[in-house]
Amino acid sequence: MSDGSSRPPGRPSAGTARVPASARWRDRAAGLAGLPVALALRLLDPLMAAVQRLIGAGRMPYVFLFPNFVFFGLFVFLPIGINLVFSVTGGPALFPSERPFVGAEQYAYLFDCGSYLDPSSCREDHFWRGVSNTAVFVLFQVGTMVLVSLLTALVLNRPIRGRGFFRAVYFFPVLLSPVVVALIWKWILQRDGLLNAAITSLGGQKILFFVDPSWAMFWAVFVSVWAHMGFYTLILLAGLQAIPSDLYEAAEMDRTPRWRILWRITLPLLWPNMIVVIVLSLIKGVQTFDEVFVLTGGGPGTATLMVVQYIYETAFANQVQNFGLAAAASVVLGLVLFALTLAQLAATRMKER
Amino acid sequence: MAALARLLGARRDGPGRPLHWTDIASYAYLAFGVVLMFGPVLWLVFSSFKTQSALLEFPPSLMPMAQVEVTVAGQPNPLPLFRATLPDGSVKELAQIRRVGLVAQMVDPAEPDKTYRVAIDKREPVRKVALATENYTEPLRQFAFLRFLSNSLFVTVVATAITLLINSMAAYGLAVYEFRGKTAATLAVIGTLMIPITIVLVPVYLVVTELGLVNSLWAVILPGAATPTGVFLLRQYMLTLPRDLIEAARMDKASEWQIYWRIVMPLTLPALAVLAIFSIMWRWNEFLWPLAVLTKTEVYTLQIGLAAFQGELQTQWHYLLAMTVVTLAPVALVFVFLQRFITTGIGSTGMK
Amino acid sequence: MADLKLTGARKAFGAVDVLHGIDLEVKDGEFVVFVGPSGCGKSTLLRVIAGLEMVSAGEVHIDGERVTHLPASDRGLAMVFQSYALYPHMTVARNMAFALENMRLPKAEIDARVKRAAEMLRLTDYLDRKPKALSGGQRQRVAIGRAIVRDPKIFLFDEPLSNLDAELRVATRKELAALHAELGGTMIYVTHDQVEAMTLADRIVVLRAGRIEQVGAPLDLYNRPANAFVAGFIGSPRMNLLPATVIADDGTLRLRLGAREIAVPQATRGLRAGSAVTLGIRPEHIALAPDGGGQLDLTVDLVEQLGSEALVYAGHAGLPQITLRLDGQSRLARGATIPVRFSPDHIHLFDTDGLALPRP
């Protein structure tokens, strides 16, 4: 990027370059977190030497993989299996052996609808509210996100002073926790908040943003874009800066008008990054929970209830914990995410090409 | 159209050229961005230093202000100070003893014996900038916020250490060796990439219950310790290390574990630092899973405590805002020092 | 110090055979150079000896001990890598000490050995530097030093000079020769550069496509190549290899070479008339002949003046381009016709399989 970091960060550099301050701080931070790790590595040395003598160097890779895969097994692979079991069993019990088999009943219950276009006609109307809310949310959020990120990246890619600063400004909210983000905006948007003060000072009426379903959804989308656009802007900016400048110089030599350069050179070459941004934001968007949950609580009513909130509440927060139904809904959500992830892999491959 | 394209046009002109209107538009856009991105956070920080009564003011003031109070001889409590316009048109700073209906009974602090009756619309509070630091000290003392803070710190540090250790081991195994089942192992890692905790919330809860970890911080730490993202990031980096180094170490009679921690780990430090920073961020900000698995207040992390706090005490914004700032501060500090590193790191690894 | 014995060493990567059964003995203290074109398997052979690759079949013995399945770390050998493979995060001293620490030698012993090696290689002033603060030649010496401190049974070198510039390469080559004379260790050295092979080796092993073509002292290979491949590979500029047909083989061998007929005064094993052979003659063994006394008339295509000598590239109808090396400076011009003679004692003959025909 502009600040001479065109090489990947921290790749071992060939020269004896001056160590930038950020690298020094980075190393200090890593050192602090790495201290217990370094200690563990050293302490394990004699044990691992004994293990290698015992099983031979050829089997050492399994030793290296073992701990990570224990975790994967316990907290990913095993749960996938249990999830499937949960989704075909009923009752309030948590332990699969105590749960009666009900076949596809949970799925049938979820999908029991008069009309799929009308959530209120479904038996489990909250689930379908969640689905339709999530769909609306994702549609607006991804659309806005891509446009705003693209615009910002294009502006940041111009020869401007202080690019590093502005890039940081847009990126800063990405690091904030969803809870903090939601509380910041909740404070601004509340009845006597900053925004209503601005509206009244301009002669308007106070608006109860979280009482009006449309406003609540609007702010859910807005806050989500506010919090995450910096991340996608960075991806697009990296893509823009990877376009060789001699292409622009060649186009200029050909007296190509600027709008044509944008349409025929910049955007087509940026397209792979755009795909990545679209798919990534889709995947994240479908899983949206915390920001909206803290900002609106899913309300008013169920106006901003998302699928993940439905799953969480069905399993943990409701009076009757319905693990089976939550698991069935998880499986449905999982299938959607699976499809989106495949799209992402395809997009990444396209980008590499 | 041409103007828009010019506005969005690629950088091509060198420095020192005259400012075009599109440059001005760009800077205007960016300035607006600064206000929109930083403004809310600054507003939060300013607000967090306001007293409870100042928070209830409408329209709100920008700076945290408080009404000046004075002790007046003969009065038991400090009295609020006002600037009152007297019937004769003169303006005087008076302390208010009490208010009856639309009239305030006031006293001049300089002459405690002389009282005035002033219509309440004829007086304005005298205010000065005052930081209500008790917003910070009180909840840390009264409520369990200090506990939440130390819980969050513990989770973040321990989880990051575990993640760095086991992820780097797995990455080393996948990057350096050829062995039976390597492809399967790699595919398994990719597979876990597709399974966010959202999907397996209920069964992970069961596993954690079976391990007897519910309402323990380990229930938050362990399930996310093995990250596929981390394994991939480190593996990609390790693949760029020259094979010769590893073979040279082998010729130098190093054991496989020594090659891992004395040769490969030090050389992977930049990637480890990236992972460490991200792990710290993930863990500090994590919400859904702790929310599901932690139900007792004494094991709440900061994020859960904050969310619970706003549910219970809807009106106590002065504490809530201050605690939000406490939650945000470490991340902001990290960002200030590592901003360039983080942004370039994300730009090139595409992870978050 | 140790000797080495390979018997029937094979190596296959998947379906691809890289080594087809190598039999080789290296004596204690010997400097052996593996040479061959890229892809001939010389590096794989070295890695098999090192233990970085395991043979698919066959045996490896070091010092009479079977080490075929022993991993690299247990064979007691040291290797200098083409890339030097210096640990970038360690100082020069730590780089050299690393192996000794792994061997759990006492600290004093380690320091002494590192000091001695550093003195020998003129690295004493650089012991606290990291590799990236060194020049190419210094890094090279550190890599060698890392091997020396180990006092290994055998030194292995994998194209160690190929990353140096031409001048430094010549200087380091001489230092290596001196080092071998001083240390007297068994050394195995891989290169694709036949000049390095000629100058350094006690014995050269010429490899092609996973097979040993010839093993011998440098001058033996130069003077008596076992086949056309070795003949062409050893020596620079290359030996001229010219297709010829036997006219008669009765005491004197008479060959048809292009449009001319030449006599070769060698007793041979009765070649049949009409059979094809390859005639090999090195550029320095072709001389300009007085007018009318030439065996072959050549037309000059190009003259390269090197000052002390001149290389003349000349053609003859029906033959590949022929190279001549003439002492001093030549006045020949492009297009000139020159009669030449082949020095009769230096003519090599190869049959259709490329094998050298036995000499008298």
Coordinates of all heavy atoms in Angstrom, one line a residue, chain C residues 257-281:
Chain C
L257 N 34.4 -39.0 -43.8 CA 34.0 -37.9 -42.9 C 33.5 -36.8 -43.8 O 34.3 -36.1 -44.5 CB 35.2 -37.4 -42.1 CG 34.9 -36.5 -40.9 CD1 34.0 -37.3 -39.9 CD2 36.2 -36.1 -40.3
G258 N 32.3 -36.6 -44.0 CA 31.7 -35.6 -44.9 C 32.1 -36.1 -46.3 O 31.8 -37.2 -46.7
A259 N 32.7 -35.2 -47.1 CA 33.0 -35.6 -48.4 C 34.4 -36.1 -48.5 O 34.9 -36.6 -49.6 CB 32.9 -34.3 -49.3
R260 N 35.2 -36.1 -47.4 CA 36.6 -36.5 -47.4 C 36.8 -37.9 -46.7 O 35.9 -38.4 -46.0 CB 37.4 -35.5 -46.7 CG 37.4 -34.1 -47.3 CD 38.2 -34.1 -48.6 NE 39.6 -34.3 -48.3 CZ 40.5 -33.3 -48.2 NH1 40.1 -32.1 -48.3 NH2 41.8 -33.6 -47.9
E261 N 37.9 -38.4 -47.0 CA 38.3 -39.7 -46.4 C 39.5 -39.5 -45.6 O 40.5 -38.8 -46.0 CB 38.6 -40.7 -47.6 CG 38.9 -42.1 -47.1 CD 39.3 -42.9 -48.3 OE1 38.6 -42.9 -49.3 OE2 40.3 -43.7 -48.1
I262 N 39.5 -39.9 -44.3 CA 40.7 -39.7 -43.5 C 41.1 -41.1 -42.9 O 40.3 -42.0 -42.7 CB 40.5 -38.7 -42.4 CG1 39.4 -39.2 -41.4 CG2 40.1 -37.4 -42.9 CD1 39.4 -38.4 -40.1
A263 N 42.4 -41.1 -42.6 CA 43.0 -42.4 -42.1 C 43.2 -42.1 -40.6 O 43.7 -41.1 -40.2 CB 44.3 -42.7 -42.8
V264 N 42.9 -43.2 -39.8 CA 43.2 -43.1 -38.4 C 44.1 -44.2 -38.0 O 43.7 -45.4 -38.2 CB 41.9 -43.2 -37.6 CG1 42.1 -43.1 -36.1 CG2 40.9 -42.2 -38.0
P265 N 45.3 -43.9 -37.6 CA 46.3 -44.9 -37.3 C 46.0 -45.6 -36.0 O 46.8 -45.5 -35.1 CB 47.6 -44.1 -37.3 CG 47.2 -42.8 -36.8 CD 45.8 -42.5 -37.3
Q266 N 45.0 -46.4 -35.9 CA 44.7 -47.1 -34.7 C 44.3 -48.5 -35.0 O 43.5 -48.7 -35.9 CB 43.5 -46.5 -34.0 CG 43.9 -45.2 -33.3 CD 42.7 -44.7 -32.4 OE1 42.1 -45.5 -31.7 NE2 42.5 -43.5 -32.4
A267 N 44.8 -49.4 -34.3 CA 44.3 -50.8 -34.4 C 43.0 -50.9 -33.7 O 42.9 -50.5 -32.6 CB 45.4 -51.7 -33.8
T268 N 42.1 -51.4 -34.4 CA 40.8 -51.6 -33.7 C 40.3 -53.0 -33.9 O 40.9 -53.8 -34.5 CB 39.8 -50.6 -34.4 OG1 39.8 -50.9 -35.8 CG2 40.1 -49.2 -34.0
R269 N 39.1 -53.2 -33.3 CA 38.6 -54.5 -33.4 C 37.8 -54.8 -34.6 O 36.6 -54.9 -34.6 CB 37.6 -54.7 -32.2 CG 38.0 -55.9 -31.3 CD 37.0 -55.9 -30.1 NE 37.6 -55.5 -28.9 CZ 37.0 -55.2 -27.8 NH1 35.7 -55.2 -27.8 NH2 37.6 -54.9 -26.7
G270 N 38.4 -54.7 -35.7 CA 37.8 -55.1 -37.0 C 36.4 -54.5 -37.2 O 35.5 -55.3 -37.2
L271 N 36.3 -53.2 -37.5 CA 35.0 -52.7 -37.8 C 34.6 -53.1 -39.2 O 35.4 -53.1 -40.1 CB 35.1 -51.2 -37.7 CG 35.2 -50.6 -36.3 CD1 35.5 -49.1 -36.3 CD2 33.9 -50.9 -35.5
R272 N 33.3 -53.4 -39.3 CA 32.9 -53.8 -40.7 C 32.8 -52.5 -41.5 O 32.4 -51.4 -41.1 CB 31.5 -54.4 -40.6 CG 31.6 -55.9 -40.3 CD 30.2 -56.6 -40.5 NE 29.2 -56.1 -39.7 CZ 28.2 -55.3 -40.2 NH1 28.1 -55.1 -41.5 NH2 27.2 -54.9 -39.4
A273 N 33.1 -52.7 -42.8 CA 33.0 -51.6 -43.7 C 31.6 -51.2 -43.8 O 30.7 -52.0 -43.8 CB 33.6 -52.0 -45.1
G274 N 31.4 -49.9 -43.9 CA 30.0 -49.4 -44.0 C 29.3 -49.1 -42.7 O 28.3 -48.4 -42.7
S275 N 29.9 -49.6 -41.6 CA 29.3 -49.3 -40.3 C 29.5 -47.9 -39.9 O 30.5 -47.3 -40.2 CB 29.8 -50.3 -39.2 OG 31.2 -50.2 -39.1
A276 N 28.6 -47.3 -39.1 CA 28.7 -45.9 -38.7 C 29.4 -45.8 -37.4 O 29.3 -46.7 -36.5 CB 27.3 -45.4 -38.5
V277 N 30.3 -44.9 -37.2 CA 31.0 -44.6 -36.0 C 30.9 -43.1 -35.7 O 30.5 -42.3 -36.6 CB 32.4 -45.0 -36.0 CG1 32.6 -46.5 -36.1 CG2 33.2 -44.3 -37.1
T278 N 31.2 -42.7 -34.5 CA 31.4 -41.2 -34.2 C 32.8 -41.0 -33.9 O 33.4 -41.6 -33.1 CB 30.5 -40.9 -33.0 OG1 29.1 -41.2 -33.2 CG2 30.6 -39.4 -32.7
L279 N 33.3 -39.9 -34.6 CA 34.7 -39.5 -34.4 C 34.7 -38.4 -33.4 O 34.0 -37.4 -33.6 CB 35.4 -39.2 -35.7 CG 36.8 -38.7 -35.7 CD1 37.5 -39.2 -37.0 CD2 37.0 -37.3 -35.4
G280 N 35.5 -38.5 -32.3 CA 35.6 -37.4 -31.4 C 37.0 -36.8 -31.4 O 38.0 -37.5 -31.4
I281 N 37.0 -35.5 -31.5 CA 38.3 -34.8 -31.5 C 38.1 -33.4 -30.7 O 37.2 -32.7 -30.9 CB 38.8 -34.5 -32.9 CG1 40.2 -33.8 -32.9 CG2 37.8 -33.7 -33.8 CD1 41.3 -34.8 -32.8

